[in-house]
Amino acid sequence: MNSLVKIKNCSVEKNGRTVLQNINFCFNPGEAWLVTGPNGGGKAHFLEALAGRAVFKKTSADSQIENTFEQNTAIVSLEEAAHLIQEERERDESEYMDKEDIGRTGRQYICEVLGGSSKKGAPLPPIAARLETMPEVKLCGVQNILDRGLRYMSTGEIRRTLLCRALLSKKSLLILSDPFAGLDAESRRILFEFFDTISKRKTRTEDDSGFPHILLCMERFNEIPDNINSVIEFSEKKISFCGERKAYEKLISEKAEAYQKQNESIRKAFITELERIRKETLPLASTQNTGTASFCTETPHELISFNSVNVGWEEHQVLQNLTWKIISGEHWLIRGPNGSGKTTILELITGDNMQVFREDVRLFGKRRGSGETIWDIKKRLGIVSYRLHVEYRMVGGTSLENIIISGFKDSIGLYETPTDFQKATARAWLKLAGFEGRESENFSSLSYGEQRAILILRAAVKSPEVLILDEPCHGLDDNYRTKLLDLIQTVAATGTTTLLHVTHDPTEVLDCEKHILELLPGQSPMYKIILR
């Protein structure tokens, strides 16, 4: 039996630098592989090498490199989705037009691999008229969003569009990186059906389906499709496991049991350390102009209100007659299916959706558009979102210390000389989250999950009145996820910060989130408020 991939005694190099060593891996017909491991462990570099974006290098006389998929691989990931959103923002010409530039639609983007052009205004190829009939489009569940602008799609919709395009590109290997993160139940169901449909065919050695081989990459070993039969794990820039799924399940079960025993003591130590940092830094903060909130127990007051708010574009109505109030100290969970308007609500608050100025949205006692600047608003907010992550990737050369300090300034990047207090506070928070000694590293050198952890620290560092968390644990492994959820819970417990939290994962709902705004698209009313 000929191997699809055989790597023996090799290293991985990227940009002339060795990033992985001692790589031994064999991918045979009939196998369905999961690539997993903690943030920064090395799996991303391994996938890049398989896809031809990094290089396998022989390290001994008996080294072997056989890769059927080199230069014939498509990757669907949070990274690719972020790049696409960034690209659409750069192409936006709304300010030069007499109407809003919706950019490329899903139909145009998908058709770029079917003979179409990516040039603005280029005609669609003939096949565009029958995309809805194609099995790949139905398999990915994108029939109803083909004519929507990419910028107006939810995170889940963008990733399903990327998946559809990758399938139609006819590449031999499809790498799905953390595909279930941030997806609602229906999107996860569609993706599971997609994976099962293809993997069942590809695990037959006589396969002639025309579909690609699939390699699944996950930060966490959860929601793993049944057809996965082999696992390779990377930790500390090396292979820490490579073998059958059953053996790996036994290994992680033993690890989970040991971790559970020490988890409570780790959590208590974490909270104690956070409280120590706050006690040490807040007195100094009070003597400097830092923008840090002081700790106090104020009478509950209205922070944000929506009064019969309606938002949409063209024929698509996202929010309809939404009336909602947020009182200080009332922590909210916002939930609903992909595309139901969760991110739109957050963008109305942050000012990233211009339709806010025609609606009755009030922040901190003032109606938006009544003379306040975006900086007046953002200095009272902490924000963690996919969109912010995209913005920060564009200035990826910024140091971790300066990323944290920029949270005081509400800027993308740092353009002022930081104070001694800000430097000390940034380093204390980096230490708290496990980044001690790494303050000079560049943001762009971190894994996706590590980047998300840094952005959470940035949002929390000034103790904002409102902390907006849009799927904050995207791309985080179990270790970071547990630590950062503890951090968020502790920030909420200070009494100075009110949470607005969007997540699809019920295990990420915090005990303090007693108020729920549930969005119900297509229904009237389109939302309901739940107290738990």
Side-chain angles (χ1 to χ4, degrees):
M1 178 172 59
N2 294 324
S3 298
L4 299 167
V5 177
K6 189 170 186 179
I7 308 298
K8 180 181 178 182
N9 294 337
C10 291
S11 63
V12 172
E13 288 188 5
K14 186 175 183 182
N15 299 326
R17 182 172 62 92
T18 299
V19 291
L20 292 176
Q21 294 181 326
N22 301 321
I23 302 301
N24 290 277
F25 174 70
C26 191
F27 185 171
N28 295 312
E31 294 176 342
W33 280 87
L34 170 72
V35 182
T36 189
N39 297 131
K43 59 185 179 298
H45 292 312
F46 174 69
L47 296 178
E48 287 176 324
L50 286 179
R53 301 181 183 183
V55 181
F56 286 115
K57 287 284 188 178
K58 296 181 178 180
T59 58
S60 64
D62 64 343
S63 294
Q64 288 182 260
I65 303 174
E66 298 174 16
N67 185 4
T68 306
F69 304 120
E70 189 174 10
Q71 307 301 329
N72 197 14
T73 298
I75 300 177
V76 177
S77 66
L78 292 167
E79 295 266 3
E80 296 296 314
H83 176 75
L84 178 58
I85 292 173
Q86 178 180 327
E87 193 175 85
E88 284 302 292
R89 289 190 174 190
E90 292 171 351
R91 292 165 59 109
D92 184 5
E93 297 182 352
S94 295
E95 60 182 298
Y96 308 113
M97 302 169 65
D98 58 1
K99 62 178 183 179
E100 190 169 9
D101 179 8
I102 69 168
R104 284 177 292 180
T105 64
R107 190 182 303 273
Q108 290 170 312
Y109 180 66
I110 289 170
C111 282
E112 289 175 12
V113 297
L114 298 172
S117 170
S118 62
K119 292 183 178 179
K120 208 172 188 68
L124 291 171
I127 197 172
R130 54 184 181 87
L131 278 188
E132 286 88 344
T133 67
M134 302 182 74
E136 293 87 351
V137 171
K138 294 178 181 179
L139 195 59
C140 297
V142 297
Q143 306 97 303
N144 297 326
I145 59 173
L146 288 172
D147 295 312
R148 189 180 302 171
L150 294 172
R151 288 205 307 277
Y152 304 103
M153 292 182 183
S154 69
T155 303
E157 289 167 340
I158 286 175
R159 285 160 66 196
R160 295 212 309 266
T161 301
L162 280 168
L163 181 61
C164 183
R165 173 176 153 128
L167 275 180
L168 288 169
S169 72
K170 302 302 180 183
K171 298 289 188 180
S172 298
L173 178 66
L174 177 56
I175 295 176
L176 299 181
S177 182
D178 235 0
F180 304 109
L183 297 188
D184 58 29
E186 176 62 12
S187 295
R188 287 199 299 272
R189 183 191 64 77
I190 290 171
L191 196 52
F192 262 101
E193 287 183 359
F194 161 82
F195 187 87
D196 284 342
T197 297
I198 294 181
S199 61
K200 282 177 182 176
R201 297 179 183 182
K202 302 308 289 189
T203 50
R204 304 173 191 152
T205 55
E206 73 276 9
D207 167 70
D208 59 357
S209 66
F211 284 115
H213 291 273
I214 293 182
L215 195 151
L216 187 64
C217 177
M218 302 277 282
E219 302 288 351
R220 299 162 54 204
F221 194 83
N222 68 329
E223 289 191 303
I224 305 300
D226 292 339
N227 287 311
I228 290 289
N229 54 31
S230 303
V231 178
I232 182 170
E233 179 192 76
F234 287 84
S235 300
E236 299 178 353
K237 306 297 184 182
K238 61 184 179 182
I239 295 174
S240 48
F241 178 88
C242 187
E244 294 184 354
R245 173 176 178 156
K246 288 184 178 180
Y248 186 71
E249 288 177 336
K250 181 180 179 182
L251 176 65
I252 62 170
S253 177
E254 293 170 350
K255 286 183 178 180
E257 186 176 344
Y259 178 78
Q260 189 62 36
K261 290 179 180 178
Q262 62 177 340
N263 184 47
E264 187 58 29
S265 61
I266 292 173
R267 180 179 178 277
K268 288 179 179 177
F270 178 85
I271 291 172
T272 299
E273 179 68 5
L274 178 57
E275 290 174 347
R276 183 191 65 78
I277 289 172
R278 290 188 178 281
K279 288 176 181 178
E280 289 181 359
T281 57
L282 280 172
L284 180 57
S286 65
T287 67
Q288 303 187 37
N289 181 20
T290 64
T292 303
S294 59
F295 287 86
C296 57
T297 54
E298 297 180 352
T299 302
H301 58 283
E302 184 180 293
L303 296 172
I304 299 170
S305 68
F306 284 56
N307 302 294
S308 297
V309 169
N310 293 274
V311 174
W313 51 87
E314 297 183 343
E315 302 300 318
H316 185 60
Q317 192 72 16
V318 183
L319 301 178
Q320 189 169 12
N321 297 324
L322 173 62
T323 296
W324 176 47
K325 289 185 179 180
I326 301 164
I327 305 299
S328 60
E330 295 181 354
H331 306 295
W332 284 83
L333 170 69
I334 305 173
R335 69 187 186 194
N338 292 128
S340 62
K342 301 183 298 299
T343 298
T344 298
I345 288 173
L346 300 185
E347 290 180 343
L348 289 171
I349 296 171
T350 62
D352 294 317
N353 187 312
M354 293 299 102
Q355 294 190 44
V356 67
F357 296 111
R358 73 181 191 195
E359 300 296 324
D360 188 357
V361 176
R362 299 172 187 266
L363 274 67
F364 312 114
K366 293 183 179 181
R367 179 167 176 168
R368 288 305 315 272
S370 61
E372 82 290 351
T373 69
I374 189 65
W375 304 111
D376 292 332
I377 297 298
K378 289 195 172 181
K379 72 182 181 181
R380 304 174 76 171
L381 302 175
I383 303 168
V384 178
S385 70
Y386 187 61
R387 305 278 174 172
L388 178 73
H389 200 153
V390 171
E391 296 280 1
Y392 249 107
R393 286 165 58 85
M394 298 175 72
V395 290
T398 307
S399 72
L400 303 190
E401 180 176 285
N402 285 347
I403 294 278
I404 305 299
I405 293 172
S406 73
F408 289 112
K409 305 294 184 180
D410 307 299
S411 59
I412 305 298
L414 187 63
Y415 307 100
E416 299 178 17
T417 302
T419 67
D420 290 341
F421 162 76
Q422 290 167 347
K423 289 182 178 180
T425 305
R427 295 192 180 200
W429 281 77
L430 287 167
K431 178 181 178 181
L432 184 66
F435 290 92
E436 185 178 15
R438 300 177 63 183
E439 57 272 1
S440 297
E441 287 187 24
N442 285 340
F443 186 71
S444 58
S445 69
L446 271 56
S447 70
Y448 187 93
E450 289 177 312
Q451 289 178 354
R452 180 55 62 97
I454 290 295
L455 292 180
I456 291 175
L457 299 181
R458 174 192 179 274
V461 69
K462 64 179 179 180
S463 300
E465 290 176 69
V466 177
L467 181 56
I468 294 174
L469 303 161
D470 191 358
E471 298 285 1
C473 293
H474 262 178
L476 299 184
D477 61 36
D478 280 325
N479 185 37
Y480 271 120
R481 178 175 171 272
T482 300
K483 182 174 286 191
L484 288 167
L485 287 173
D486 278 341
L487 170 63
I488 294 166
Q489 178 87 16
T490 305
V491 168
T494 63
T496 63
T497 297
T498 298
L499 304 182
L500 298 184
H501 183 195
V502 170
T503 182
H504 288 292
D505 190 338
T507 67
E508 293 174 5
V509 177
L510 302 174
D511 291 340
C512 65
E513 292 166 355
K514 305 298 184 184
H515 297 75
I516 301 172
L517 175 65
E518 183 163 357
L519 301 181
L520 307 166
Q523 298 186 33
S524 183
M526 52 74 69
Y527 68 96
K528 64 180 177 181
I529 291 173
I530 303 168
L531 299 180
R532 67 182 184 98

